[in-house]
Short mmCIF file of all heavy atoms in Angstrom, two decimals:
data_model
loop_
_atom_site.label_atom_id
_atom_site.label_comp_id
_atom_site.label_asym_id
_atom_site.label_seq_id
_atom_site.Cartn_x
_atom_site.Cartn_y
_atom_site.Cartn_z
N ALA K 24 -8.24 8.77 9.42
CA ALA K 24 -6.99 8.50 10.14
C ALA K 24 -6.61 7.03 10.03
O ALA K 24 -5.45 6.69 9.78
CB ALA K 24 -7.13 8.92 11.60
N SER K 25 -7.57 6.13 10.24
CA SER K 25 -7.29 4.69 10.15
C SER K 25 -6.86 4.30 8.74
O SER K 25 -5.92 3.53 8.54
CB SER K 25 -8.51 3.88 10.57
OG SER K 25 -8.85 4.11 11.91
N ILE K 26 -7.55 4.84 7.76
CA ILE K 26 -7.23 4.54 6.36
C ILE K 26 -5.84 5.06 6.02
O ILE K 26 -5.01 4.35 5.42
CB ILE K 26 -8.30 5.15 5.44
CG1 ILE K 26 -9.63 4.40 5.63
CG2 ILE K 26 -7.86 5.12 3.98
CD1 ILE K 26 -10.81 5.06 4.97
N ASN K 27 -5.53 6.29 6.43
CA ASN K 27 -4.23 6.88 6.13
C ASN K 27 -3.09 6.10 6.79
O ASN K 27 -2.02 5.92 6.19
CB ASN K 27 -4.18 8.33 6.59
CG ASN K 27 -5.02 9.25 5.72
OD1 ASN K 27 -5.52 8.85 4.67
ND2 ASN K 27 -5.20 10.47 6.15
N GLN K 28 -3.29 5.65 8.02
CA GLN K 28 -2.24 4.92 8.72
C GLN K 28 -1.85 3.64 7.99
O GLN K 28 -0.67 3.31 7.87
CB GLN K 28 -2.69 4.60 10.15
CG GLN K 28 -2.69 5.81 11.07
CD GLN K 28 -3.26 5.50 12.45
OE1 GLN K 28 -3.77 4.40 12.69
NE2 GLN K 28 -3.16 6.46 13.35
N ILE K 29 -2.84 2.92 7.50
CA ILE K 29 -2.55 1.69 6.77
C ILE K 29 -1.85 2.00 5.45
O ILE K 29 -0.84 1.37 5.10
CB ILE K 29 -3.86 0.92 6.52
CG1 ILE K 29 -4.46 0.47 7.85
CG2 ILE K 29 -3.60 -0.29 5.60
CD1 ILE K 29 -5.87 -0.07 7.74
N LEU K 30 -2.34 2.99 4.74
CA LEU K 30 -1.72 3.36 3.46
C LEU K 30 -0.28 3.84 3.65
O LEU K 30 0.59 3.54 2.84
CB LEU K 30 -2.55 4.44 2.77
CG LEU K 30 -3.96 4.02 2.33
CD1 LEU K 30 -4.71 5.23 1.79
CD2 LEU K 30 -3.91 2.91 1.28
N ASP K 31 -0.04 4.56 4.73
CA ASP K 31 1.31 5.11 4.95
C ASP K 31 2.31 4.03 5.32
O ASP K 31 3.52 4.21 5.16
CB ASP K 31 1.26 6.18 6.05
CG ASP K 31 0.56 7.44 5.60
OD1 ASP K 31 0.28 7.57 4.40
OD2 ASP K 31 0.26 8.29 6.47
N GLU K 32 1.85 2.90 5.82
CA GLU K 32 2.77 1.82 6.21
C GLU K 32 3.07 0.89 5.05
O GLU K 32 4.12 0.25 5.00
CB GLU K 32 2.18 1.03 7.38
CG GLU K 32 3.16 0.02 7.94
CD GLU K 32 2.65 -0.65 9.20
OE1 GLU K 32 1.81 -0.05 9.90
OE2 GLU K 32 3.11 -1.77 9.49
N GLY K 33 2.16 0.77 4.10
CA GLY K 33 2.34 -0.17 3.00
C GLY K 33 3.26 0.36 1.91
O GLY K 33 3.59 1.54 1.86
N PHE K 34 3.66 -0.56 1.03
CA PHE K 34 4.50 -0.21 -0.11
C PHE K 34 3.84 -0.56 -1.45
O PHE K 34 4.07 0.11 -2.44
CB PHE K 34 5.84 -0.95 -0.04
CG PHE K 34 6.77 -0.44 1.02
CD1 PHE K 34 7.27 -1.30 1.98
CD2 PHE K 34 7.14 0.89 1.07
CE1 PHE K 34 8.14 -0.84 2.96
CE2 PHE K 34 8.00 1.36 2.04
CZ PHE K 34 8.50 0.48 3.00
N TYR K 53 3.13 2.83 -4.65
CA TYR K 53 2.23 3.98 -4.52
C TYR K 53 2.73 4.88 -3.40
O TYR K 53 3.64 4.53 -2.65
CB TYR K 53 0.80 3.51 -4.20
CG TYR K 53 0.66 3.00 -2.78
CD1 TYR K 53 0.27 3.84 -1.74
CD2 TYR K 53 0.97 1.68 -2.47
CE1 TYR K 53 0.19 3.38 -0.44
CE2 TYR K 53 0.88 1.21 -1.16
CZ TYR K 53 0.50 2.06 -0.16
OH TYR K 53 0.42 1.61 1.13
N ALA K 54 2.10 6.02 -3.28
CA ALA K 54 2.33 6.92 -2.15
C ALA K 54 1.05 7.68 -1.89
O ALA K 54 0.27 7.94 -2.81
CB ALA K 54 3.48 7.89 -2.43
N ARG K 55 0.85 8.04 -0.63
CA ARG K 55 -0.28 8.91 -0.29
C ARG K 55 0.22 10.33 -0.16
O ARG K 55 1.22 10.60 0.49
CB ARG K 55 -0.93 8.48 1.03
CG ARG K 55 -2.16 9.32 1.40
CD ARG K 55 -2.76 8.90 2.73
NE ARG K 55 -1.86 9.22 3.84
CZ ARG K 55 -1.84 10.40 4.46
NH1 ARG K 55 -2.64 11.39 4.07
NH2 ARG K 55 -1.02 10.61 5.47
N ALA K 56 -0.50 11.25 -0.80
CA ALA K 56 -0.21 12.67 -0.68
C ALA K 56 -1.50 13.36 -0.28
O ALA K 56 -2.37 13.62 -1.13
CB ALA K 56 0.33 13.23 -1.99
N GLY K 57 -1.65 13.60 1.03
CA GLY K 57 -2.89 14.20 1.49
C GLY K 57 -4.07 13.27 1.30
O GLY K 57 -4.07 12.14 1.77
N LEU K 60 -4.08 9.19 -3.66
CA LEU K 60 -3.02 8.20 -3.84
C LEU K 60 -2.35 8.45 -5.19
O LEU K 60 -3.01 8.78 -6.19
CB LEU K 60 -3.59 6.78 -3.82
CG LEU K 60 -3.91 6.16 -2.47
CD1 LEU K 60 -4.35 4.72 -2.65
CD2 LEU K 60 -2.71 6.22 -1.54
N VAL K 84 -4.79 -2.30 -0.62
CA VAL K 84 -3.52 -2.42 0.11
C VAL K 84 -3.78 -3.33 1.30
O VAL K 84 -4.77 -3.14 2.01
CB VAL K 84 -3.01 -1.05 0.60
CG1 VAL K 84 -1.79 -1.23 1.51
CG2 VAL K 84 -2.66 -0.16 -0.58
N LEU K 86 -1.83 -5.36 4.70
CA LEU K 86 -0.70 -5.60 5.58
C LEU K 86 -1.02 -6.83 6.42
O LEU K 86 -2.08 -6.89 7.03
CB LEU K 86 -0.45 -4.40 6.50
CG LEU K 86 -0.31 -3.03 5.81
CD1 LEU K 86 -0.19 -1.94 6.87
CD2 LEU K 86 0.91 -3.02 4.90
N VAL K 106 -7.05 -1.81 3.14
CA VAL K 106 -7.80 -0.65 2.64
C VAL K 106 -8.23 -0.95 1.22
O VAL K 106 -7.46 -1.53 0.43
CB VAL K 106 -6.96 0.64 2.67
CG1 VAL K 106 -7.64 1.76 1.86
CG2 VAL K 106 -6.74 1.11 4.10
N HIS K 131 8.12 8.27 0.17
CA HIS K 131 7.33 7.23 0.81
C HIS K 131 8.14 5.96 0.97
O HIS K 131 8.05 5.26 1.99
CB HIS K 131 6.08 6.94 -0.01
CG HIS K 131 5.25 5.82 0.52
ND1 HIS K 131 4.58 5.89 1.72
CD2 HIS K 131 4.99 4.57 0.04
CE1 HIS K 131 3.93 4.76 1.95
NE2 HIS K 131 4.17 3.93 0.94
N MET K 132 8.97 5.66 -0.03
CA MET K 132 9.79 4.46 0.04
C MET K 132 10.92 4.62 1.04
O MET K 132 11.13 3.76 1.89
CB MET K 132 10.36 4.13 -1.35
CG MET K 132 11.19 2.86 -1.39
SD MET K 132 11.61 2.35 -3.06
CE MET K 132 12.72 3.69 -3.54
N LEU K 158 -8.95 9.90 -2.50
CA LEU K 158 -9.35 9.04 -1.39
C LEU K 158 -10.70 9.52 -0.87
O LEU K 158 -10.82 10.08 0.23
CB LEU K 158 -8.29 9.08 -0.29
CG LEU K 158 -6.99 8.35 -0.60
CD1 LEU K 158 -5.94 8.67 0.46
CD2 LEU K 158 -7.23 6.85 -0.69
N ARG K 216 11.17 0.44 8.75
CA ARG K 216 9.89 0.58 8.11
C ARG K 216 8.93 1.31 9.02
O ARG K 216 8.91 1.06 10.24
CB ARG K 216 9.32 -0.81 7.79
CG ARG K 216 7.99 -0.82 7.08
CD ARG K 216 7.65 -2.24 6.69
NE ARG K 216 6.37 -2.31 6.03
CZ ARG K 216 5.36 -3.07 6.43
NH1 ARG K 216 5.52 -3.81 7.52
NH2 ARG K 216 4.23 -3.12 5.76
N LYS K 217 8.19 2.23 8.46
CA LYS K 217 7.22 2.97 9.25
C LYS K 217 6.10 2.05 9.67
O LYS K 217 5.46 1.40 8.84
CB LYS K 217 6.65 4.14 8.44
CG LYS K 217 5.66 5.00 9.21
CD LYS K 217 5.20 6.18 8.37
CE LYS K 217 4.25 7.08 9.16
NZ LYS K 217 3.77 8.23 8.38
N THR K 218 5.87 1.94 10.97
CA THR K 218 4.79 1.12 11.47
C THR K 218 3.91 1.96 12.39
O THR K 218 4.36 2.89 13.03
CB THR K 218 5.31 -0.09 12.27
OG1 THR K 218 6.16 0.36 13.32
CG2 THR K 218 6.10 -1.02 11.36
N ILE K 219 2.67 1.61 12.43
CA ILE K 219 1.68 2.34 13.22
C ILE K 219 1.24 1.43 14.38
O ILE K 219 0.81 0.32 14.14
CB ILE K 219 0.46 2.74 12.37
CG1 ILE K 219 0.89 3.50 11.11
CG2 ILE K 219 -0.52 3.54 13.20
CD1 ILE K 219 1.61 4.77 11.38
#
Side-chain angles (χ1 to χ4, degrees):
S25 296
I26 291 170
N27 288 351
Q28 287 175 353
I29 296 169
L30 295 174
D31 290 349
E32 187 173 335
F34 288 124
Y53 73 92
R55 182 181 68 87
L60 281 185
V84 172
L86 307 175
V106 167
H131 176 67
M132 182 170 67
L158 288 170
R216 181 173 179 236
K217 182 177 183 181
T218 56
I219 307 299

